[in-house]
Amino acid sequence: MESFHNTIIWLNEYLWGPPMLILLFGTHLFLTFRTRFIQKHIIKAIKLSLTKDTSSEGDVSQFGALTTALAATIGTGNIVGVSTAVALGGPGAVLWCWLTGVFGIATKYSEALLSVKYRVKTSDGTMLGGPMYALENGLGQKWLAVLFCIFTAIAAFGIGNTVQANSIATMVNETFNISPYITGGVMAALTGFVILGGVKSIARVCERLVPFMAIFYVIGCIIILVLNASFVVPAISLIFKSAFTPQAAGGGFIGASIMMAARYGIARGLFSNESGLGSAPIVAAAAQTRNPVRQALVSATGTFWDTVVVCAMTGIVVVSSIMSNPAATEGLKGAALTKIAFAQIPVVGPIVLTVGLLTFVFSTILGWSYYGERAIEYLFGKAAIMPYRGVWVLAVFLGSIMTLQLVWDMADAMNALMAIPNLVSLLLLSGVIVSETKKYLWEDNLDEVSKDPIPVIKN
């Protein structure tokens, strides 16, 4: 097992080396220019996300699709992931994580657009879409679609299940002394109750849970920033400076090179907002929307909220807390750093963090169950869905009681392997992205209903 783990570590170093960072960040930049800085339409996109398009075909509302995607992305990546990036890549990793989100808005927009453009409908009326259908129907590369689904199905059990369950079970045990077996059992039961109802049930829960959990966590961050007020500006200055200059060890921080800051910032940015990963477009395809561009704009707001707002706040909270108390944070990593930061809030600090992480984790498990389910359905057909749901619920329990460093490392590897075929489709189909954007957005036809027929498949 140790040799296998070492192989995964080596694979991660290779997958997350300069070629992958250039491919991912380069795609973000390329699509930003190709879409004429789609980020400037973020206010319009936010307004669209709050409207319903119920007269259009789809399984869930635009907001339901967005909150389900946000449920999957706002998770341990925003809390543990950002803290881990700071611990391993220095304060500069926060800026690289943030920039991945800013430019990743264009990528999230593009992959959602292709997902709706190439979505299909089953004989029972269920909408299916995602990079696998863009790869198969847009590029004619079914083998890449199959690879994407294999990597997605495996990655789902890491990024979207076991590592999430383990993080909350550990924190609940440390904060309230509740056995991981109890936490795991409760989470598994709740997960099973929701996912048995399919995407409509998942979307209903996420529509209620996501706004609450995001506001709850952000308020906690704001309180900490007020407590650390004298360190906030120096922390932001250090984040920018460290992103482009080697960081010497000291003041509670390890030494980190520019490459380390970029590597961990970009990797954790992807882990957090999933722009380029190809996961969120899977649920975007289920949305009730008049045309691909409307849902693409709505989906793009997910990256804005996840990284540009939530991850940025977590990063400033962590860095300012380290600066305010370097002795207490020396040598700490991941969740331990965030826990020290929230401990500054008298009495309720650890409770705020635990409740925030609990809701983040549970919603992520729900969102990723849908992604994995669609990948399995593509590979094996509808009959595989119910057995998959049973295994998913079991994995929630097992993840709560296991030691998961290997799973974390495997999740990083699977994320990269998922991203590669998706990024290929985005680059090769960028002409379609530009054409659809011109037709509906640049020519001011956002209210127009798409006349493209949705293919019906047997399943």
Side-chain angles (χ1 to χ4, degrees), residues 214-230 232 309-310 312-318 320-321 341-342 344-345 352:
I215 293 170
F216 186 80
Y217 180 73
V218 165
I219 289 173
C221 288
I222 291 172
I223 293 171
I224 295 170
L225 293 176
V226 170
L227 294 173
N228 289 341
S230 60
V232 170
V309 177
V310 179
M313 293 193 74
T314 301
I316 297 170
V317 161
V318 170
S320 64
S321 296
F342 273 81
Q344 296 174 86
I345 303 177
V352 170

Side-chain angles (χ1 to χ4, degrees), residues 169-178 339:
T170 301
M171 185 160 287
V172 168
N173 180 248
E174 292 174 354
T175 306
F176 303 111
N177 199 30
I178 296 175
K339 193 173 182 181

Side-chain angles (χ1 to χ4, degrees), residues 7 48 52 60 112 142 174-175 199 207 293 315 391 422 430:
T7 302
L48 274 177
K52 288 188 176 182
V60 296
K142 186 175 176 66
E174 292 174 354
T175 306
V199 67
E207 282 180 356
V293 170
V391 174
N422 181 53
S430 62

Side-chain angles (χ1 to χ4, degrees), residues 102-115:
V102 171
F103 291 107
I105 288 172
T107 301
K108 184 65 71 70
Y109 166 85
S110 300
E111 56 189 0
L113 187 155
L114 292 179
S115 183

Side-chain angles (χ1 to χ4, degrees), residues 8 22 29-30 54 73 86 98 100 105 107 112 129-130 153 160 164 217 226 246 258-259 262 268 285 289 294 327 405:
I8 294 296
I22 292 169
L29 292 173
F30 174 74
T54 51
T73 54
V86 172
W98 188 76
T100 301
I105 288 172
T107 301
Q164 304 288 340
Y217 180 73
V226 170
I258 299 173
M259 187 61 202
R268 293 302 163 186
T289 185
R294 283 177 73 95
Q405 186 56 52

Side-chain angles (χ1 to χ4, degrees), residues 58 90 239 274 334 377-378 427 434:
I239 287 168
E274 300 175 15
E377 183 177 5
Y378 184 88
L427 294 172
V434 171

Side-chain angles (χ1 to χ4, degrees), residues 282-443:
I282 296 173
V283 73
Q288 296 164 337
T289 185
R290 298 179 199 183
N291 57 66
V293 170
R294 283 177 73 95
Q295 183 55 39
L297 286 168
V298 171
S299 293
T301 64
T303 297
F304 172 78
W305 293 121
D306 178 271
T307 307
V308 178
V309 177
V310 179
C311 277
M313 293 193 74
T314 301
I316 297 170
V317 161
V318 170
V319 175
S320 64
S321 296
I322 292 174
M323 294 179 73
S324 69
N325 195 356
T329 54
E330 190 76 42
L332 295 181
K333 295 181 181 180
L337 273 176
T338 317
K339 193 173 182 181
I340 285 288
F342 273 81
Q344 296 174 86
I345 303 177
V347 184
V348 299
I351 297 174
V352 170
L353 177 60
T354 303
V355 172
L357 188 57
L358 176 60
T359 52
F360 281 18
V361 161
F362 183 59
S363 65
T364 298
I365 291 171
L366 296 181
W368 266 93
S369 71
Y370 181 74
Y371 299 158
E373 183 178 301
R374 285 293 174 254
I376 288 292
E377 183 177 5
Y378 184 88
L379 294 171
F380 304 111
K382 192 173 182 178
I385 291 177
M386 289 307 292
Y388 179 83
R389 289 175 179 170
V391 174
W392 186 265
V393 171
L394 177 62
V396 172
F397 176 74
L398 293 177
S400 302
I401 61 176
M402 291 166 58
T403 301
L404 290 176
Q405 186 56 52
L406 170 60
V407 180
W408 269 103
D409 292 333
M410 286 185 67
D412 268 352
M414 290 302 107
N415 282 357
L417 292 171
M418 274 180 71
I420 292 170
N422 181 53
L423 294 172
V424 167
S425 73
L426 289 170
L427 294 172
L428 295 182
L429 292 171
S430 62
V432 175
I433 295 166
V434 171
S435 175
E436 293 289 303
T437 304
K438 178 177 183 294
K439 178 180 179 181
Y440 293 108
L441 181 61
W442 299 341
E443 294 180 357

